[in-house]
Amino acid sequence: MSVNLGDLWDGAWRGFDTVIDVRAPAEFAEDHLPGAISLPVLSDEERARVGTIYKQVSPFDARKIGAALVARNAARHIETQLMDKPGGWQPLVYCWRGGQRSNSFATILRQIGWRVEVLEGGYRSYRRAVVEALYHGDLPFRLIRLDGNTGTAKTALLALMRERGVQVVDLEGLAGHRGSILGSIAGGQPSQKGFESALITAFRGFDPMRPVVVEAESARIGALRLPPALWHAMIRAPRVEVEAPVPARAAYLARAYADLLADPAELMRLLEGLRALVGADRVAQWLAMVEARDWLTLAEGLVVHHYDPAYARARKRDDAPTAAVVEAEALTDQALPAIADRLAQVLAQVDPG
């Protein structure tokens, strides 16, 4: 039996005990259905081998070898991953297009007695739905942008507002990047497809009658693009700004970028990339601050001479209304909860349109 994908924002796969991706590991790593686990019936090498035999020898020989490999891998998964599943366990299985790999594995599981289904059209049907939703449709949620110059603790405040019941999506967290030339995060960024699946997961289940708060971003976060449906909703969304004095922002950045400060050589490499924007003399001064481990002065210099001018240029192109401004004198860990409380109160009064 096969199951239709259904509404992407309320995916039919949510009703299954487990969603199993039987594609090769490289396929799974690039992207997969939200919440799926990887139980490949062919490894990357095995998949390449079978494909070569299919093209160079014959489809019949490829199916024979593929069947033997699938059976062997399926047995290993049952012995190591599925042996504890009860008789009423109901998994959903998918491969690239709902073909031989998923149906072969599903047949074996059915023979055991489990109530397994196969996703109609496989991953390809899911990916088509994602593209339709994020590239050709309208985002079915109303947004409010949390704005503010670099160092105003927007990411930390988003997390605190989530704890206060605000519907929040942390775009930088999903993108694995802090959104600037110094914004790289250990572990790197997901693929574009993986990022888009993460967006679907983050928005799914939200109440469309209540606004969703996102951080004000440019059209790219690191190497990743914000898909059109999201970007168009963002540029129309009203802004709530956080304002704080430069010393408070510099102190916050020195804490928030502690991972980068712990790698001075990488920090110096990244600062070299700012020569065209701020000049060689300015970069030389910053490199000397890195050598001296003078993090607060460095952070303040970056705020005044790089980040704030960049924000000013970006805002000239942003004609969305500013619905409210929340001022903060300090951005310490002790001060942030009270700021989040004020933001939550302000956001409750904003009409997202």
Side-chain angles (χ1 to χ4, degrees), residues 52 107 112 161 167 176 178 206 246 249 252 276 295 303 312 317:
T52 299
T107 297
I112 295 172
M161 285 190 287
Q167 296 189 143
R178 287 174 291 220
F206 278 165
V246 169
R249 292 160 55 202
Y252 175 79
W295 305 131
V303 163
R317 303 188 295 270

Side-chain angles (χ1 to χ4, degrees), residues 182-252:
L182 305 181
S184 299
I185 297 175
Q189 296 192 264
S191 68
Q192 182 68 34
K193 291 179 181 179
F195 175 55
E196 291 164 8
S197 281
L199 288 172
I200 296 295
T201 301
F203 278 98
R204 198 178 66 217
F206 278 165
D207 181 354
M209 302 305 295
R210 297 171 53 212
V212 178
V213 180
V214 299
E215 185 172 342
E217 300 283 355
S218 64
R220 299 183 76 94
I221 304 178
L224 299 176
R225 305 180 306 277
L226 297 183
L230 174 59
W231 177 241
H232 293 155
M234 287 176 64
I235 60 179
R236 294 192 301 265
R239 295 178 289 141
V240 172
E241 295 185 22
V242 179
E243 291 187 352
V246 169
R249 292 160 55 202
Y252 175 79

Side-chain angles (χ1 to χ4, degrees), residues 12-24:
W13 64 88
R14 297 176 67 188
F16 289 84
D17 297 322
T18 311
V19 179
I20 301 174
D21 186 321
V22 300
R23 297 174 303 156

Side-chain angles (χ1 to χ4, degrees), residues 70-115:
V70 167
R72 188 178 306 144
N73 290 323
R76 176 169 50 83
H77 293 322
I78 293 168
E79 291 172 344
T80 60
Q81 302 292 322
L82 306 179
M83 195 60 75
D84 64 337
K85 301 303 182 184
W89 180 58
Q90 189 173 11
L92 176 67
V93 176
Y94 72 92
C95 60
W96 167 244
R97 55 186 178 186
Q100 290 184 335
R101 285 184 287 177
S102 56
N103 279 291
S104 297
F105 191 53
T107 297
I108 295 172
L109 298 187
R110 287 194 192 103
Q111 292 303 308
I112 295 172
W114 286 317
R115 297 180 296 164

Side-chain angles (χ1 to χ4, degrees), residues 224-310:
L224 299 176
R225 305 180 306 277
L226 297 183
L230 174 59
W231 177 241
H232 293 155
M234 287 176 64
I235 60 179
R236 294 192 301 265
R239 295 178 289 141
V240 172
E241 295 185 22
V242 179
E243 291 187 352
V246 169
R249 292 160 55 202
Y252 175 79
L253 284 175
R255 297 198 316 275
Y257 283 67
D259 57 328
L260 184 55
L261 301 184
D263 188 355
E266 175 63 8
L267 176 57
M268 294 175 79
R269 185 189 70 80
L270 293 172
L271 290 172
E272 291 282 3
L274 295 176
R275 286 182 180 273
L277 294 173
V278 301
D281 291 343
R282 183 80 63 191
V283 170
Q285 294 172 14
W286 290 344
L287 295 177
M289 293 172 192
V290 175
E291 293 281 3
R293 305 299 192 265
D294 188 357
W295 305 131
L296 284 176
T297 306
L298 173 62
E300 188 164 329
L302 284 165
V303 163
V304 172
H305 298 291
H306 173 57
Y307 286 121
D308 281 3

Side-chain angles (χ1 to χ4, degrees), residues 154-195:
K154 298 184 293 295
T155 300
L157 290 168
L158 285 173
L160 289 169
M161 285 190 287
R162 180 183 287 118
E163 295 176 2
R164 286 152 176 78
V166 178
Q167 296 189 143
V168 165
V169 173
D170 178 4
L171 298 176
E172 292 185 359
L174 298 180
H177 198 280
R178 287 174 291 220
S180 71
I181 195 170
L182 305 181
S184 299
I185 297 175
Q189 296 192 264
S191 68
Q192 182 68 34
K193 291 179 181 179
F195 175 55

